Amino acid sequence: MDALVRALVTAPGDIPDVAGGPDATVRDARRIIRESAAADFAADDAETVRGLLSVVLGRSDAAIAGELISSYERSDALRLRTYDRLLGAHGATVRRPFTVAQLATVLTALREGLLIRRLVDPEAVPDSLYGETALAIAIAALDTRHRHQHIDEAGASLAVPDDGTAAPRPALPDDPRRAVIDTAAVEFTRHTFYLATLEGMADASGVPLDMLKRLFPTKAHIVIAALRPRFTAITQSLADDVSLGTDHVTVIRRHLLRCARLTVEERPFMDALIASISYDTASEAEGLVALKQELHFPSLIEPVIADGQRLGIFSPAEPAREFAATLMNTLFVRCFSRRTLTPEENADFVADLILDGLRGRDDG
């Protein structure tokens, strides 16, 4: 029996190289998936029988099971290459909780199951069924708009009863704007800025989605509304330091400390702002562009640096704008990545690094 099973599992299987067929640069990904699946499904029944017998008779043997796993891995790899090419050519991502590798595993299992069913009930499995099912999986699992959705969010309409009657709306919170901002803080903490959704905030805050979008068209607008009062207060404190004649270095150090404290006191919203710093606004949605423009911390300290350069206190090697951006970005990234340190420690580190530099000074 063992010899028979080993012969089955090592028999040359006809696994088509689906990645080597249709061109993944074709604009319509549906065509690629259908054609790849058609080639993938065109296997003879003998190969299917060999695989089925190997699984049934040999899976309890460790050596044979290892060979079976290797066979599955080769099969998965072919489908993985197809999906990788699709993702790259069409700028798609995979919705959570799936991964590309898991999709390849699902397609391998789907193909195998349909081939087995076709052995005993060919009328139930037309040649196109595998391709159409693979396409349906791709439509559900692949995200070309980079909304960072969970599969549940993509299928949210399935949770809404379509009985032709509109459910009565619950009473709004006394302060809908505040309710949304408070809910957003929780959602950003749980899911991060990019994975939190307006739909989730609407459900949790009690503010219907259409009304929430009137207050805040995007998640970025919620961050702006939450941080604007603090941004205004920091702006005023900086202006007060300057008007009171505080020296330039002290002004910068005090400003860095205020901003470092802000990252702790408004952690969910500052995390959202800091995360957005890493992305190029030229390709981002309008809300993220507004977020960086309306809460532009470097512009607050830029005049102080420029005046210090004019007086010879600071180096004129680069424009004040570049120094200000480097200073604030370094502080925020430091606070983002060194959460166990106090605001004072993070602010002092960045001030010492930027103001004094890495090189020791020669006092002689």
Side-chain angles (χ1 to χ4, degrees):
M1 179 64 73
D2 285 349
L4 171 63
V5 173
R6 289 183 187 279
L8 289 171
V9 78
T10 57
D14 182 20
I15 301 175
D17 187 350
V18 296
D23 184 2
T25 62
V26 174
R27 185 169 185 82
D28 191 347
R30 295 169 298 181
R31 173 183 153 193
I32 303 169
I33 294 171
R34 284 192 174 105
E35 291 180 359
S36 296
D40 193 12
F41 200 63
D44 60 28
D45 291 344
E47 185 265 342
T48 304
V49 172
R50 283 197 302 270
L52 178 60
L53 288 174
S54 299
V55 172
V56 173
L57 299 177
R59 68 182 186 276
S60 59
D61 182 283
I64 296 174
E67 292 175 359
L68 286 168
I69 290 173
S70 296
S71 176
Y72 276 124
E73 288 175 346
R74 292 194 302 273
S75 185
D76 289 347
L78 295 176
R79 293 162 186 84
L80 186 60
R81 290 209 301 274
T82 297
Y83 264 81
D84 277 340
R85 294 176 66 200
L86 278 171
L87 294 173
H90 294 270
T93 57
V94 180
R95 289 190 175 95
R96 293 175 298 117
F98 294 106
T99 65
V100 180
Q102 287 173 337
L103 291 181
T105 300
V106 167
L107 290 176
T108 295
L110 174 65
R111 172 183 174 274
E112 185 176 59
L114 289 175
L115 287 172
I116 292 171
R117 175 68 181 271
R118 190 173 68 173
L119 289 174
V120 296
D121 190 8
E123 292 185 2
V125 186
D127 290 341
S128 62
L129 182 58
Y130 177 58
E132 297 302 327
T133 308
L135 177 59
I137 292 172
I139 291 171
L142 299 185
D143 175 16
T144 58
R145 298 186 179 183
H146 299 274
R147 293 175 176 173
H148 305 279
Q149 287 179 310
H150 191 282
I151 197 71
D152 282 346
E153 295 159 355
S157 61
L158 298 176
V160 179
D162 186 13
D163 57 3
T165 61
R169 291 198 172 192
L172 284 173
D174 292 337
D175 187 346
R177 178 176 291 270
R178 186 72 254 170
V180 171
I181 292 174
D182 290 343
T183 299
V186 176
E187 293 293 299
F188 290 156
T189 299
R190 287 178 179 171
H191 305 295
T192 77
F193 174 75
Y194 284 99
L195 299 182
T197 66
L198 291 179
E199 290 82 358
M201 295 176 197
D203 290 341
S205 67
V207 178
L209 182 60
D210 61 324
M211 294 185 178
L212 185 151
K213 287 184 175 180
R214 292 181 213 168
L215 299 174
F216 306 108
T218 69
K219 292 180 288 185
H221 288 90
I222 300 176
V223 176
I224 292 170
L227 291 179
R228 186 183 287 124
R230 299 297 302 273
F231 184 81
T232 301
I234 288 176
T235 303
Q236 185 60 60
S237 296
L238 179 64
D240 290 345
D241 283 343
V242 172
S243 66
L244 294 174
T246 308
D247 67 272
H248 294 70
V249 171
T250 301
V251 170
I252 291 176
R253 285 185 173 275
R254 287 166 61 87
H255 180 67
L256 290 176
L257 179 56
R258 294 187 190 104
C259 292
R261 286 172 175 164
L262 178 62
T263 64
V264 174
E265 295 164 2
E266 297 288 350
R267 176 74 73 191
F269 299 110
M270 287 302 295
D271 279 356
L273 178 64
I274 294 168
S276 74
I277 292 173
S278 303
Y279 290 82
D280 178 13
T281 54
S283 61
E284 289 293 345
E286 180 182 353
L288 285 181
V289 176
L291 176 60
K292 297 180 186 180
Q293 291 175 344
E294 296 205 28
L295 300 174
H296 195 261
F297 284 85
S299 65
L300 300 183
I301 201 67
E302 180 182 341
V304 176
I305 295 174
D307 191 56
Q309 289 177 320
R310 181 183 62 82
L311 296 173
I313 300 172
F314 302 133
S315 168
E318 297 290 341
R321 178 182 66 258
E322 293 297 328
F323 278 129
T326 300
L327 183 68
M328 297 311 304
N329 289 348
T330 302
L331 175 72
F332 286 146
V333 172
R334 174 79 180 180
C335 293
F336 186 80
S337 60
R338 297 292 191 275
R339 295 171 184 260
T340 59
L341 300 181
T342 66
E344 289 76 11
E345 289 172 322
N346 281 326
D348 286 344
F349 176 87
V350 174
D352 292 342
L353 177 65
I354 301 297
L355 295 175
D356 298 334
L358 290 173
R359 291 185 302 175
R361 297 185 179 278
D362 184 2
D363 296 330

